[in-house]
Amino acid sequence: MPSGLETAAESLLDARGARLRGIALHALLQHLSAVPQERREAVALSAAQTLLPDDPELAGPVAARGLAILCDPALAGLFGADSRAEVPFSLKVRQGGSEARLEGRIDRLVVDESVLVVDYKSDAGVPGGPEAVSAGYVRQLALYRLAAQRLFAGKRVEAAILWTENSHLMTIPAGLLDAAVGDVTVL
């Protein structure tokens, strides 16, 4: 029977492994769409092996997950010519009475008639709907949306989470996003 210490250690290792898998998957999604279709599988596996040197048994499943997301017809627009990966931003904001610089990177940005801000989440448990998404995730996405609204003034900006566990793109309603950053003003 495992002791409490073993259980805690196993949980930390599981969390570490999940974090590393998520980072590797993010990197694959960032770069693989630029790789010619006929080379993607080999490049995905090689990249995953490089990204996960201490966990070689995870490389195959991570590469397969990345390829499945990229090949999903429902997600094709996320990885097309109108999209960009890892878009940096920097904004001066006021929260309460304090000014601050908000800096970050948007995982995926799709710009055509409107703008779609996408954040990848690799959680094993995918919420049943936008209202069940953690407040921290909603706030993060809402801040990204503020940045995109500044960058693309005059365009409608929507925000969504791509749950990599099941390839589900979940749009977060504007009302939830607005409420999450009601205390933030872009300067």
Side-chain angles (χ1 to χ4, degrees), residues 21-35 40 43-44 47 51 62 65-67 69-70 78-80 83-88 105-109 118 120 162 164:
R21 286 189 305 273
I23 290 169
L25 186 56
H26 272 67
L28 291 178
L29 294 176
Q30 177 182 352
H31 298 290
L32 279 180
S33 62
V35 174
R40 276 191 189 163
V43 170
L51 292 163
V62 168
R65 187 80 222 120
L67 291 168
I69 291 168
L70 287 171
L78 294 183
F79 303 100
S83 73
R84 298 290 175 264
E86 296 295 322
V87 178
R105 289 188 180 273
I106 298 170
D107 287 341
R108 202 83 194 174
L109 191 66
V118 179
Y120 306 145
L162 175 58
T164 61

Side-chain angles (χ1 to χ4, degrees), residues 126-139 141 159 161 163 168 170-177 179-180:
V126 176
E131 297 77 20
V133 173
S134 78
Y137 284 178
V138 173
R139 183 164 173 90
L141 197 55
I161 296 173
W163 298 100
H168 176 63
M170 180 185 290
T171 300
I172 306 299
L176 283 177
L177 296 167

Side-chain angles (χ1 to χ4, degrees), residues 5-172:
L5 183 58
E6 288 170 341
T7 302
E10 289 169 358
S11 292
L12 285 174
L13 288 174
D14 288 347
R16 179 185 171 277
R19 183 175 177 279
L20 292 175
R21 286 189 305 273
I23 290 169
L25 186 56
H26 272 67
L28 291 178
L29 294 176
Q30 177 182 352
H31 298 290
L32 279 180
S33 62
V35 174
Q37 187 68 39
E38 65 275 4
R39 297 203 56 236
R40 276 191 189 163
E41 189 173 340
V43 170
L45 184 56
S46 176
Q49 289 168 339
T50 300
L51 292 163
L52 297 163
D54 296 331
D55 298 303
E57 71 284 353
L58 296 178
V62 168
R65 187 80 222 120
L67 291 168
I69 291 168
L70 287 171
C71 293
D72 188 330
L75 302 175
L78 294 183
F79 303 100
D82 294 330
S83 73
R84 298 290 175 264
E86 296 295 322
V87 178
F89 65 87
S90 179
L91 291 173
K92 193 171 184 180
V93 298
R94 177 176 289 122
Q95 181 179 9
S98 301
E99 290 184 11
R101 176 130 325 258
L102 174 64
E103 296 181 343
R105 289 188 180 273
I106 298 170
D107 287 341
R108 202 83 194 174
L109 191 66
V110 182
V111 181
D112 47 34
E113 298 86 40
S114 61
V115 178
L116 178 62
V117 173
V118 179
D119 193 46
Y120 306 145
K121 296 298 181 196
S122 298
D123 300 28
V126 176
E131 297 77 20
V133 173
S134 78
Y137 284 178
V138 173
R139 183 164 173 90
Q140 177 188 14
L141 197 55
L143 291 168
Y144 290 178
R145 180 173 164 250
L146 282 177
Q149 287 171 328
R150 176 57 65 97
L151 291 170
F152 301 96
K155 286 193 177 252
R156 187 183 81 226
V157 179
E158 296 181 306
I161 296 173
L162 175 58
W163 298 100
T164 61
E165 182 67 23
N166 65 358
S167 301
H168 176 63
L169 185 66
M170 180 185 290
T171 300
I172 306 299

